[in-house]
Amino acid sequence: MGLQPLEFSDCYLDSPWFRERIRAHEAELERTNKFIKELIKDGKNLIAATKSLSAAQRKFAHSLRDFKFEFIGDAETDDERCIDASLREFSNFLKNLEEQREIMALSVTETLIKPLEKFRKEQLGAVKEEKKKFDKETEKNYSLIDKHLNLSAKKKDSHLQEADIQVEQNRQHFYELSLEYVCKLQEIQERKKFEFVEPMLSFFQGMFTFYHQGHELAKDFNHYKMELQINIQNTRNRFEGTRSEVEELMNKIRQNPKDHKRASQFTAEGYLYVQEKRPPPFGSSWVKHYCMYRKAAKKFNIIPFEHRSGGKLGDGEVFFLKECIRRHTDSIDRRFCFDVEAADRPGVSLTMQAFSEEERKQWLEALGGKEALFPSFNRAIIPRPEGSAQLDKMGFTILRKCISAVETRDVKTCNEVDLENSIDWEVKTITSALKQYLRSLPEPLMTYELHGDFIVPAKSGSPESRVNAIHFLVHKLPEKNKEMLDILVKHLTNVSNHSKQNLMTVANLGVVFGPTLMRPQEETVAAIMDLKFQNIVVEILIENHEKIFRTLPDATLPEPVTLSASPPNAPPRQSKRQGQRTKRPVAVYNLCLELEDGDRPNLPKEDTPPSSLDSFSSPSPTAAAAHGPPGPDRNHLLADGGTFGDWASTAPSQARSSTVQWLNPQSPATPSCNPAATPPSPKLSSFPLSLPATVADKPPESLISRKARAVYPCEAEHSSELSFEIGAIFEDVQTSREPGWLEGTLNGKRGLIPQNYVKLL
């Protein structure tokens, strides 16, 4: 039961029960006063914490804004530029968010703290003052009554009457004060409800306004987020390819380091210990120098350097060589030594010590010393072993027939190259053979000579200037090279036009075919870092096939920048490819399909001559049995991830770990889930050329029921996906706009489900 009402009539009786009710009201107001006081304190702490959080967020934003990624090489891809700019975007996002938070903090002060302080001081404070008066008058009234009743009855009547009048007046004043106090007590009990709750309502309105502003900022940020996810995935794909190439080069150098020394402007270079003579009795010391020698000019540069102390010990020296003489151990108590005499410093001779006898002999040969028995340090570029593939009639036949087999799945019409031969060929086997043929040409299809020139426009310039430059360079290719490149790029354009079904976007095809169509003559880490720009060149060829191969370059335009000129810094390239990617769901970017063992090339790419039909070998028919859930049946070849998607399955090593996973858009490998096993790759003979009319004519909605049961487990890798175990039942299952995915509800959470991980009920 709540507080009992205070009746005005009870003020005259002033009974013990009336006084008890007054004390109950006073205790409630005191409790309210303490609560509001504590709430104001907590509110101020909340504001202080909010300001501290805002300051920390702003500091974090400043740190993001001030950091800049460095890159290896002389240029970045458009994706890398977008990633570099992302930290500034994140910083701006946090800055905008903190501006809204500051508004909320000010709102808390104005809408909550100040109104509560006013209510506590003006209303509750007024009641306290009334209580003091009431208590004072109570004491005065009853003291006067006690004194009056103690008057002797023998007093004069006039004196007694005067005393009676005074007591009555005092009692009336007390009753009036009691009435006012009772009225104030009951008024404040009613007023506190709205006077207290209304500021709380304003506070929560301000807080929800802040969260709504954050939601609006997140909506504005969503488009950028989707673009950035694509940039990150593209960069990750290129990283995987670059890493595999770097590891391959590292292993080659580890096995035979002498055959992979880079061409250098110096005839010889490396570390030597140089003897520094000192006056007696200090003897001499040996200081490590990095030495460089040009034989044509007989110029010798030496720079003191000590790894353990972190750098150079002093300035370098330059002198011109007069002669070099080998030192024998009977003349010096050190091995591997030789003397060099400076032509421009008469009488000056330096004693140097190599790291080994072999290195000493190499230095003697380079410096014109006596024991010139070994080859020079300055090795020529190691040519790649030439395969048997050639740009001849057989090569063009292989190209056309393989493309025909991939696009039509009809190998029976291939007369010159028997692709059928009673074997159930996989499309990946055909594409693998074709790509192996291209990689086994004596030089890449886009030639060593023009390799650097093709790379330059990919690193800089506007989108139009890039297309124009590559257009110009394509028409500088030898006629056979250009003809074969035209046939291949036309096919890749056809593949990319159906990327929504087969997931082979222009970017993915660039990753697959960049290293196949272009490669540097010398294998170095710097060259491998340019792989991403090779991919961009192939992307431009695919996106602009008609213009590049069907029209001549515009003679009025200046020739493109080549390696001899420094390209200007360029804005990020925007293209139709990027416009299409914005609609690509997040779920299709994190894939986990691996190649079957039968699909992995076992020999180095230089060692397998693809022009021989022996390279067309079928993988083990049992390989598919070792894999997990099978993929669904496919539609027509142009909508088939198992057809054009198989270009990725035979990608060079830099694409195997990522782009290979883009085939089969409706297989369990398509989602971001990590199943225990991956589905088998489709066989060439297992795909119908078209769906039965009874199925193909149905709209997608008619193929899906309202419930589904999981037949394979799946672990989500994105917030938009659902994790589930075998047997899970999904409610309200509907088609998704993302190929290979359904939308459903599990345990109250709605998200994406891999289509062939479930059975429709």
Side-chain angles (χ1 to χ4, degrees), residues 100-119:
Q100 299 300 324
R101 196 189 303 277
E102 286 188 356
I103 294 174
M104 181 189 71
L106 292 174
S107 173
V108 173
T109 300
E110 296 297 325
T111 62
L112 179 66
I113 303 300
K114 289 184 177 180
L116 289 180
E117 287 179 335
K118 182 179 179 182
F119 173 74

Side-chain angles (χ1 to χ4, degrees), residues 148 151-166:
H148 179 68
L151 286 175
S152 172
K154 297 179 180 180
K155 293 281 185 181
K156 293 182 179 180
D157 289 341
S158 60
H159 182 75
L160 293 175
Q161 288 177 358
E162 183 180 352
D164 290 343
I165 292 172
Q166 183 180 2

Side-chain angles (χ1 to χ4, degrees), residues 226 229 503 584-592 662 669-673 717-718 720-721 736 738-739 741 752-754:
M226 297 296 292
Q229 285 174 328
L503 300 185
R584 177 68 60 198
V586 175
V588 292
Y589 292 112
N590 299 321
L591 308 176
C592 50
W662 290 87
T670 300
S672 296
C673 301
E717 292 187 355
H718 193 273
S720 62
E721 303 165 16
S736 171
E738 296 138 7
W741 293 82
L752 293 173
I753 311 165

Side-chain angles (χ1 to χ4, degrees), residues 673 714 716 720-724 730 744-746 749-753:
C673 301
C714 179
S720 62
E721 303 165 16
L722 294 177
S723 296
F724 50 85
F730 301 93
T745 303
L746 177 64
K749 180 181 179 181
R750 190 161 186 82
L752 293 173
I753 311 165

Side-chain angles (χ1 to χ4, degrees), residues 390-424:
Q390 298 294 330
L391 282 177
D392 54 12
K393 181 179 179 181
M394 176 61 74
F396 277 91
T397 299
I398 290 175
L399 180 74
R400 290 191 175 96
K401 296 305 181 182
C402 287
I403 290 176
S404 176
V406 171
E407 291 192 347
T408 66
R409 299 172 183 258
D410 184 5
V411 298
K412 295 181 181 180
T413 61
C414 302
N415 298 320
E416 297 182 56
V417 180
D418 184 10
L419 297 177
E420 187 175 19
N421 195 20
S422 72
I423 297 177
D424 187 17

Side-chain angles (χ1 to χ4, degrees), residues 455 561 568 745:
I455 291 293
V561 176
T745 303

